[in-house]
Amino acid sequence: VLAANDTSETYFMFQTKCEDVAVYLKNECLSNGMEGITAGYKAVENIDNIYSQKSVPKRVKEWLRIEPLAERAEGNLFWSQPILPLDCLPETEVQCLSENKAVHRCLLKYKNT
């Protein structure tokens, strides 16, 4: 959770190397009143293009075998680049970047009432 100067808003950033978890968590956040922050030019346009440059995890292959029409971790709410400054990256993201593995990232906002 990221705090903001304005106490009427709270930001939540998540990242995971599991694509199905990323899609599930994004949808849960949106359905519970959070608003997605668009990634703009840093958005993931096509997740398969990212996987073509990296190895596709076994988990993703199995997930798509079972659910071939599953929603994918792509579009304007999924960030292709780190959200945090490079010197603040969490351990998992550093590991994934060094091992050339995909990281699925979202930034959402919850309006406090």
Side-chain angles (χ1 to χ4, degrees):
V1 176
L2 306 170
N5 290 336
D6 180 353
T7 58
S8 66
E9 294 178 344
T10 303
Y11 291 86
F12 174 63
M13 181 200 77
F14 74 81
Q15 59 189 27
T16 178
K17 50 187 175 177
C18 301
E19 185 179 0
D20 56 316
V21 171
V23 171
Y24 175 81
L25 189 53
K26 178 207 63 146
N27 289 336
E28 282 296 304
C29 289
L30 293 175
S31 68
N32 283 289
M34 297 187 88
E35 175 186 337
I37 307 297
T38 59
Y41 72 93
K42 294 182 177 183
V44 174
E45 293 180 18
N46 184 326
I47 190 64
D48 289 322
N49 286 345
I50 290 174
Y51 285 138
S52 71
Q53 300 166 8
K54 305 173 185 305
S55 61
V56 179
K58 288 184 218 175
R59 179 184 176 116
V60 171
K61 289 178 184 177
E62 182 65 14
W63 172 54
L64 293 175
R65 185 187 67 74
I66 294 168
E67 230 178 299
L69 299 177
E71 178 183 354
R72 304 296 302 278
E74 57 192 12
N76 65 356
L77 296 184
F78 285 98
W79 295 62
S80 64
Q81 301 294 317
I83 296 170
L84 296 174
L86 292 178
D87 58 349
C88 298
L89 295 181
E91 179 181 352
T92 300
E93 185 162 12
V94 171
Q95 178 187 10
C96 288
L97 292 173
S98 70
E99 295 176 358
N100 201 29
K101 293 182 179 175
V103 180
H104 310 284
R105 309 167 186 90
C106 279
L107 178 63
L108 300 109
K109 174 173 63 173
Y110 184 77
K111 293 191 178 199
N112 302 327
T113 54

